[in-house]
Amino acid sequence: MKTALKMNTKIVAFFALFILTVSANAQIDRSKPPVAGPEPEISIDKPEEFTLKNGLKVMVVENHKLPKVSYSLRIDNPPIATGKKAGIESLIGSMLGNGTTSISKDEFNEEIDFLGANLNFGITGGFASSLSKYSDRILELMADAAINPLLTEEEFEKEKTKLLEGLKADAKSTDAIASRVGYALSFGTKHPYGEYVTEETINNVSFGDALAFYEKNFNPENAYLVVIGDVDYKTVKKQIKKYFKDWKKSVDIKHTVPKPNPNVQYTQINFVNVPGATQSNLSITNNVDLKMSDEDYHAALITNNILGGGGEGYLFKNLREEHGYTYGAYSNLGNDRYGAARFSATAKVRNAVTDSAVVEALKEINRIRTEPVDAQLLKDAKAKYVGNFVMALERPQTVANYALNIELNNLPEDFYTTYLQKINDVSVEDIQRVANKYFKADNLRIVVVGNGAEVLENLEKTGIPIMYYDTYANPTEKPKFEVKLPEGVNAKSVFNAYIDAIGGKEKVAAINSILVKYEASAMGATVISEEKKMDGKLKQTIFMNGNAMMTVLTTQEKVTMNNNPLPENMVNDMKTLGGLFTELNLLNNDSAKITAIESVEGRDAYKVQVPGEVVSLTYYYDVETGLKVKEVQTTSMQGQTQSQEVVLKDYKDFEGIKFPATREGTQMGQLVVYKLLEAKLNEGVSDADFN
């Protein structure tokens, strides 16, 4: 009986749903687009405020929708340059929020986890959130961490080591170099926004320096605490007075923020050479003086959004969708109440199209300055911005930031309640006017960080003046790329020397097939790399714990990955790899060139580059022994570039032919070392393997 009743209930429910659906469809005219809903009303509660005797300013916004509370602490000191001790703020900031003088680091973090809360600190403040029933305790922990942080010399040395290791890791990163050089040139190295951290400045900082910096700069004199959530104002006021009253004032920090460097007198390329870089990092920039209180502020936001705010922006559609130069191209128009902000249009592009990307990006910047924006595009940009703005209001941090912005930037109280109206009031004329005001077409720095040997010749053809800088923004001479080679040395002679080094032409000529296997441990698994080779053919298979995970088959007719054909332009490049030894194929490739002599594992090596439309090869051969010591395969597709680098070591003889016994490479940030298991000549491989 119960079963029948359940079945009848389901049938009734089904027909009810069917009737509702038919009824709804009957009332909708699908030939017309739906009518837009009413404009969302923005309601941001005005915080209740009070100030402690020590200067801490507190803002409280009650919101009882959810049983949660968040605390945002902001130390609002003016930006300060730390000069020869640049990085001191990072060192001391990384030590905050990890225990107090009365609670060990482990106990502190364990209690935060137990409460299901979040708490983090930096030198400019902190953030905490929890369920409202734990609000008293999380506030107590936050206050204790701010007032009585556990600062030990042992922890300081650990953080210093981490920071130094990070600098070493970034030494050849075009992203890190571009950021450092861009800010240094725009603002000046003596400006707080333009100075940079080096190994020397970090080593200049002592533990005592860090403590003194904390005492002077992390204090309540210029501090704000914003509380949002399921709290009672009177109760939270008592709690804050209780836990923060012992936070002592330090000296009031008052100093003048220096002016940034002026914009350049004429548009120019500022080039930084990074040998071996597989991509160029572009940043087209000029300084701006834009504040949130300016009348242009809302129009500036939409103007930047149209130029480079996302996938619908001019830059993205041109450089990514139309030309495929990059994975993404974007712009940013900053604002700063101290008058030091930047406009920048950025992208990472393939070396071969660096000059073209510069020209096209400049074209789009000029376009938004000289051509009226399409009315529908403007409407869409506003709609997207409005949607993102409304969604952001769901986050407590956003509401806290808005409350602080009004306070710190001297904004009217209705700044955010009228925000959407001001966005929607932006006109086509406003876009063009603002673009001309903030995008300085005649005073742009085009910062290019890349491989000069591959990109400079074409950059010079743009006719834009080029200035040269090192990786720390110091002026330098134009890099020289002429390689002084011994007489008679060229790419073909290097390939022949390699053939001689591994066994000689006669031994190599007697080989019909090769089977090699390498083994490694990676991500908790045993990985086997197997290569089968015949004349013009190569089959590479990766096994993980005995299971075949990936197979790449290369012949002169096709290249497949797991039986799926690869694009034709990729196939043309990869045919070179098909065969017993790549060098035998490269002997007939006139595009292979020696571009440098570089050190690999402490030994000089000829760097031979083989360009390709999609897949480019870079091989390194020991100058003395002739053996190949490193391989780099770079793949550039759909605006993305990926490089695989392998170091070859410890060659061993197998039947008169030498193979590297060790292959070292990095996968997903982890060093993977492959050891040679076996090498067989003229056995274990047949034509059937390549069908």
Side-chain angles (χ1 to χ4, degrees):
M1 183 66 182
K2 289 183 178 179
T3 303
L5 180 60
K6 287 182 179 179
M7 182 64 71
N8 288 336
T9 303
K10 290 181 180 180
I11 293 173
V12 171
F14 172 79
F15 278 106
L17 178 61
F18 177 77
I19 292 169
L20 285 172
T21 303
V22 172
S23 176
N25 286 335
Q27 297 175 35
I28 297 174
D29 183 355
R30 297 189 181 277
S31 66
K32 298 179 181 179
V35 178
E39 192 72 48
E41 292 185 9
I42 302 302
S43 176
I44 299 177
D45 295 329
K46 187 178 185 304
E48 297 185 76
E49 302 180 20
F50 64 93
T51 302
L52 300 187
K53 291 180 180 180
N54 58 17
L56 176 65
K57 303 168 189 67
V58 183
M59 305 168 159
V60 181
V61 177
E62 293 187 33
N63 185 330
H64 303 287
K65 291 181 180 179
L66 293 173
K68 294 182 178 181
V69 61
S70 70
Y71 304 91
S72 297
L73 178 65
R74 167 83 172 269
I75 310 295
D76 186 52
N77 296 327
I80 180 173
T82 47
K84 294 182 178 180
K85 296 185 179 182
I88 188 173
E89 62 277 16
S90 296
L91 284 170
I92 189 64
S94 62
M95 297 169 67
L96 298 175
N98 287 310
T100 74
T101 53
S102 60
I103 308 174
S104 71
K105 178 179 178 179
D106 289 342
E107 290 176 343
F108 186 86
N109 291 329
E110 284 174 5
E111 182 169 4
I112 297 295
D113 290 341
F114 178 77
L115 296 175
N118 293 310
L119 194 153
N120 54 72
F121 271 92
I123 194 59
T124 59
F127 177 81
S129 64
S130 73
L131 293 173
S132 50
K133 65 180 178 179
Y134 302 129
S135 61
D136 184 77
R137 180 55 178 163
I138 198 67
L139 183 62
E140 182 180 14
L141 289 171
M142 186 181 197
D144 197 17
I147 302 169
N148 308 301
L150 183 61
L151 305 176
T152 66
E153 190 160 6
E154 179 184 7
E155 197 68 23
F156 170 78
E157 292 300 331
K158 287 181 181 178
E159 294 301 330
K160 180 182 273 192
T161 299
K162 286 182 188 177
L163 191 51
L164 290 172
E165 288 176 350
L167 290 177
K168 290 178 182 177
D170 285 342
K172 293 185 178 180
S173 166
T174 56
D175 290 347
I177 294 168
S179 176
R180 178 170 62 237
V181 172
Y183 278 99
L185 292 178
S186 292
F187 297 115
T189 56
K190 296 186 183 302
H191 192 280
Y193 300 161
E195 70 174 5
Y196 48 74
V197 179
T198 67
E199 184 176 344
E200 181 182 3
T201 64
I202 291 299
N203 285 326
N204 286 339
V205 181
S206 68
F207 179 55
D209 293 332
L211 291 180
F213 190 88
Y214 162 77
E215 292 290 345
K216 181 179 180 181
N217 293 278
F218 202 94
N219 68 82
E221 181 65 27
N222 296 317
Y224 293 82
L225 180 63
V226 181
V227 184
I228 296 177
D230 186 27
V231 294
D232 172 70
Y233 173 74
K234 292 182 179 179
T235 302
V236 80
K237 184 174 182 179
K238 291 178 182 178
Q239 292 171 337
I240 291 171
K241 285 184 175 180
K242 176 182 177 182
Y243 296 130
F244 283 92
K245 62 181 174 57
D246 293 331
W247 196 5
K248 303 298 182 185
K249 281 186 181 183
S250 181
V251 294
D252 188 14
I253 300 173
K254 289 182 179 179
H255 64 266
T256 302
V257 179
K259 290 185 177 181
N261 283 346
N263 285 317
V264 290
Q265 293 182 336
Y266 53 87
T267 292
Q268 58 189 246
I269 294 173
N270 295 164
F271 186 80
V272 181
N273 185 39
V274 180
T278 57
Q279 284 185 300
S280 295
N281 190 306
L282 308 184
S283 176
I284 302 175
T285 183
N286 61 254
N287 291 350
V288 300
D289 183 3
L290 175 65
K291 300 178 177 63
M292 293 187 72
S293 55
D294 291 346
E295 290 185 6
D296 288 334
Y297 176 72
H298 298 85
L301 294 177
I302 298 301
T303 302
N304 176 74
N305 194 278
I306 291 171
L307 176 65
E312 301 80 17
Y314 286 2
L315 293 170
F316 193 98
K317 282 186 173 296
N318 183 321
L319 273 66
R320 166 66 193 274
E321 293 189 4
E322 183 178 347
H323 290 103
Y325 292 159
T326 178
Y327 187 66
Y330 307 96
S331 66
N332 180 67
L333 182 56
N335 65 87
D336 183 79
R337 72 183 199 266
Y338 298 102
R342 298 169 76 199
F343 156 71
S344 59
T346 58
K348 288 189 290 186
V349 302
R350 306 193 313 275
N351 289 343
V353 299
T354 300
D355 56 310
S356 300
V358 168
V359 170
E360 292 300 322
L362 291 175
K363 184 174 81 173
E364 296 304 334
I365 293 172
N366 184 61
R367 175 186 168 196
I368 199 169
R369 286 166 45 91
T370 58
E371 297 180 12
V373 65
D374 179 77
Q376 184 60 48
L377 181 61
L378 175 58
K379 183 178 179 180
D380 292 343
K382 291 178 183 178
K384 177 184 175 182
Y385 198 91
V386 167
N388 291 336
F389 180 85
V390 173
M391 289 177 63
L393 288 173
E394 298 296 322
R395 299 189 294 270
Q397 297 96 317
T398 300
V399 179
N401 286 335
Y402 288 172
L404 271 178
N405 282 340
I406 291 173
E407 179 78 19
L408 299 179
N409 294 280
N410 296 317
L411 303 175
E413 290 185 2
D414 66 350
F415 182 81
Y416 286 105
T417 56
T418 61
Y419 199 92
L420 297 187
Q421 183 59 51
K422 291 175 181 175
I423 289 292
N424 283 319
D425 286 344
V426 175
S427 67
V428 171
E429 292 75 21
D430 289 332
I431 299 298
Q432 198 165 338
R433 174 180 57 79
V434 166
N436 277 276
K437 182 175 181 179
Y438 294 106
F439 305 160
K440 305 293 184 181
D442 299 323
N443 311 97
L444 291 168
R445 287 186 186 274
I446 307 169
V447 182
V448 181
V449 179
N451 187 343
E454 296 188 12
V455 306
L456 259 182
E457 182 178 352
N458 285 333
L459 277 177
E460 290 171 344
K461 294 177 183 178
T462 64
I464 303 170
I466 303 178
M467 316 295 177
Y468 301 95
Y469 295 86
D470 67 15
T471 57
Y472 287 91
N474 299 304
T476 187
E477 297 294 322
K478 177 182 176 180
K480 296 180 180 179
F481 306 111
E482 294 182 5
V483 183
K484 293 184 178 180
L485 299 172
E487 187 175 352
V489 174
N490 53 38
K492 289 186 178 181
S493 71
V494 169
F495 297 146
N496 279 317
Y498 168 75
I499 298 298
D500 290 338
I502 63 172
K505 293 182 177 62
E506 290 186 11
K507 288 279 188 183
V508 169
I511 301 173
N512 296 317
S513 68
I514 296 174
L515 169 63
V516 289
K517 290 184 180 181
Y518 287 85
E519 182 182 72
S521 294
M523 296 173 283
T526 297
V527 182
I528 301 290
S529 172
E530 178 188 83
E531 291 185 358
K532 294 182 176 182
K533 302 180 180 183
M534 293 183 74
D535 186 27
K537 301 173 183 178
L538 169 63
K539 184 178 182 180
Q540 301 164 290
T541 305
I542 299 295
F543 297 89
M544 186 170 289
N545 290 336
N547 299 311
M549 304 300 293
M550 181 180 71
T551 298
V552 178
L553 178 65
T554 303
T555 70
Q556 297 308 297
E557 293 77 34
K558 64 179 180 179
V559 179
T560 63
M561 179 181 291
N562 292 342
N563 293 321
N564 297 310
L566 297 182
E568 184 178 352
N569 53 358
M570 194 174 187
V571 171
N572 292 333
D573 295 335
M574 293 185 68
K575 285 180 181 179
T576 302
L577 302 174
L580 298 170
F581 297 97
T582 304
E583 284 71 16
L584 294 174
N585 299 329
L586 292 176
L587 284 170
N588 300 314
N589 190 328
D590 293 332
S591 65
K593 304 291 183 185
I594 299 176
T595 59
I597 297 177
E598 295 183 6
S599 177
V600 178
E601 300 284 308
R603 295 176 63 88
D604 285 344
Y606 294 120
K607 178 182 180 181
V608 182
Q609 292 187 298
V610 185
E613 184 179 352
V614 177
V615 180
S616 301
L617 307 173
T618 305
Y619 290 163
Y620 297 78
Y621 300 86
D622 190 297
V623 169
E624 185 177 339
T625 68
L627 293 170
K628 182 160 54 179
V629 290
K630 188 166 75 169
E631 299 176 337
V632 181
Q633 182 173 309
T634 302
T635 304
S636 300
M637 291 187 69
Q638 297 179 344
Q640 286 185 298
T641 297
Q642 184 178 29
S643 291
Q644 292 178 309
E645 181 175 308
V646 179
V647 176
L648 313 176
K649 298 180 178 179
D650 309 324
Y651 276 78
K652 290 187 177 180
D653 190 288
F654 288 82
E655 301 179 41
I657 298 293
K658 292 179 180 177
F659 295 92
T662 304
R663 298 171 62 93
E664 294 182 356
T666 302
Q667 294 180 358
M668 299 179 68
Q670 177 184 351
L671 178 65
V672 180
V673 180
Y674 284 89
K675 294 293 185 179
L676 183 61
L677 287 179
E678 63 176 335
K680 293 181 179 181
L681 304 180
N682 300 329
E683 62 173 305
V685 182
S686 69
D687 287 326
D689 290 315
F690 305 97
N691 292 332

